[in-house]
Amino acid sequence: MASHIGRRKFLATLGGAAAAWPLAARARQPQPMPVIGVLNSRASGDAPQLLAAFRQGLKDTGFVEGQNIKIEYRFAGNENERLPALAADLVHRQVTVIAATTTAAALAARAATTTIPIVVELAANPVQLGLVASLNRPGGNVTGVTHLNIEVAPKRLELLHELVPTTSTIAHLVNPTNPALAEINTRTLQTAARTLGLQLHVLHASTERDFDAVFANLIRLRAGGLVISADAFFTARCEQLAALAVRHAVPAVYENREFVAAGGLMSYGGKLTDAYRLAGVYAARILKGEKPGDLPVQQATKVELIINLRTARALGLDVPPTLLARADEMIE
């Protein structure tokens, strides 16, 4: 009798264990890693420090590429017309989050999906672009970071006018293949130019081949200075633009420090690396379960004025003491 009871207990235990085996096996199966789709209008080798800052933001919030997340990169190679197809591909692959870093990429991602969360990094106000309902309560599937480089564009013109006060004609360089950003840039700068009593000529460049014509036009127009629009294509070519401006003796101002470090005269704008890091943090927070519509759009508020004194001397310019006093950095 006892032996029969013991045998039944053993079989019951064995049966329970057998039933648990598939559950245990399933529990041990590695879970698929979430996938972030990075959509960017630049070429893959352009501005590597920006993607490094994005990955740092992810790491600061607990996600490391190849360990607990995958990243699918889609670069348009500075051909913005490719962005809609690249965005559609990320949607087709059902990535967990899309990080649309650049204004043109943000617009393409938003056009491609209203359900996959999108974290944007862009120069313009996303409310103006129709990407979010408001900065504090974005709603929908989009949130992210703006680095204020459109908002401070009039200040770039003011600083350039302060440095070359005798000129009445300024040129403004925009990328026509990024029409939303080009239009906002131009409208903002034209208003500032009227206030300062300056004539503003808008010039276009979307490939490196256009640069020679741009600087030939500057000479023809007798423009006393050049404001370069905040644009991913120009950021990727800031060293080339800086060299051309010096070669043609044109005082020029752009948004980032790299332009001045490469020999450009002056920069005034937010730190792009800060904006990309914050975008990485937001992507990570969404991976942890937060909803993009509940995350306020962040504004990277740190703005820097950097002046290359060596270039100023080469152009025969005396930098006013008031301008020197406001500079965050001066390159000798």
Side-chain angles (χ1 to χ4, degrees):
M1 178 78 174
S3 62
H4 289 304
I5 294 171
R7 189 165 64 251
R8 282 201 298 271
K9 283 185 178 179
F10 172 75
L11 291 172
T13 303
L14 184 63
W21 287 339
L23 294 174
R26 284 197 295 272
R28 285 195 299 270
Q29 289 295 320
Q31 297 300 308
M33 286 191 285
V35 180
I36 298 175
V38 170
L39 182 66
N40 192 291
S41 59
R42 298 183 179 92
S44 61
D46 291 348
Q49 75 278 9
L50 299 181
L51 287 177
F54 176 76
R55 287 189 290 265
Q56 185 62 50
L58 288 168
K59 185 177 180 181
D60 291 345
T61 323
F63 291 94
V64 177
E65 183 178 10
Q67 292 184 15
N68 55 359
I69 53 161
K70 287 181 62 179
I71 301 181
E72 291 273 352
Y73 297 94
R74 297 294 182 274
F75 298 99
N78 297 303
E79 297 174 13
N80 287 336
E81 64 274 13
R82 295 178 55 203
L83 286 167
L86 295 173
D89 179 53
L90 291 174
V91 172
H92 176 71
R93 289 173 182 269
Q94 297 183 317
V95 298
T96 316
V97 181
I98 295 176
T101 52
T102 63
T103 300
L107 291 169
R110 181 62 181 81
T113 179
T114 57
T115 55
I116 295 175
I118 299 170
V119 175
V120 301
E121 183 287 325
L122 68 176
N125 185 322
V127 177
Q128 286 182 291
L129 293 170
L131 291 168
V132 299
S134 73
L135 296 179
N136 289 331
R137 298 284 298 177
N141 66 320
V142 179
T143 187
V145 184
T146 174
H147 51 80
L148 298 177
N149 277 328
I150 297 299
E151 283 83 348
V152 301
K155 189 65 178 179
R156 287 189 203 105
L157 182 61
E158 290 176 28
L159 292 167
L160 188 59
H161 181 53
E162 190 174 345
L163 193 52
V164 285
T166 58
T167 189
S168 59
T169 303
I170 300 289
H172 178 217
L173 181 61
V174 301
N175 178 3
T177 68
N178 196 356
L181 192 59
E183 182 185 339
I184 294 172
N185 262 303
T186 300
R187 187 168 63 243
T188 303
L189 223 59
Q190 282 174 336
T191 301
R194 283 193 294 270
T195 302
L196 295 169
L198 298 172
Q199 186 176 14
L200 188 73
H201 292 278
V202 179
L203 304 177
H204 298 114
S206 57
T207 70
E208 292 183 21
R209 295 187 301 274
D210 297 329
F211 289 161
D212 287 338
V214 165
F215 283 90
N217 274 329
L218 285 168
I219 305 304
R220 181 180 59 80
L221 294 167
R222 297 183 179 178
L226 173 66
V227 179
I228 302 169
S229 169
D231 188 277
F233 170 64
F234 298 144
T235 298
R237 302 292 175 269
C238 64
E239 292 185 8
Q240 189 176 352
L241 286 166
L244 285 166
V246 171
R247 187 188 312 160
H248 291 88
V250 177
V253 60
Y254 190 44
E255 64 166 339
N256 62 34
R257 185 188 184 280
E258 285 77 10
F259 177 75
V260 185
L265 175 62
M266 185 165 56
S267 67
Y268 185 74
K271 290 189 71 172
L272 286 178
T273 50
D274 285 352
Y276 271 70
R277 185 187 61 79
L278 288 172
V281 170
Y282 257 23
R285 288 178 64 177
I286 289 170
L287 290 178
K288 289 184 174 182
E290 295 189 62
K291 291 181 169 57
D294 297 335
L295 293 172
V297 174
Q298 296 196 61
Q299 295 179 299
T301 55
K302 185 175 182 181
V303 179
E304 298 178 319
L305 170 62
I306 302 171
I307 303 170
N308 190 316
L309 296 178
R310 185 171 62 248
T311 300
R313 286 193 295 270
L315 295 172
L317 299 173
D318 292 321
V319 181
T322 53
L323 202 55
L324 291 174
R326 302 203 302 274
D328 294 280
E329 182 183 352
M330 288 174 284
I331 296 176
E332 292 281 0

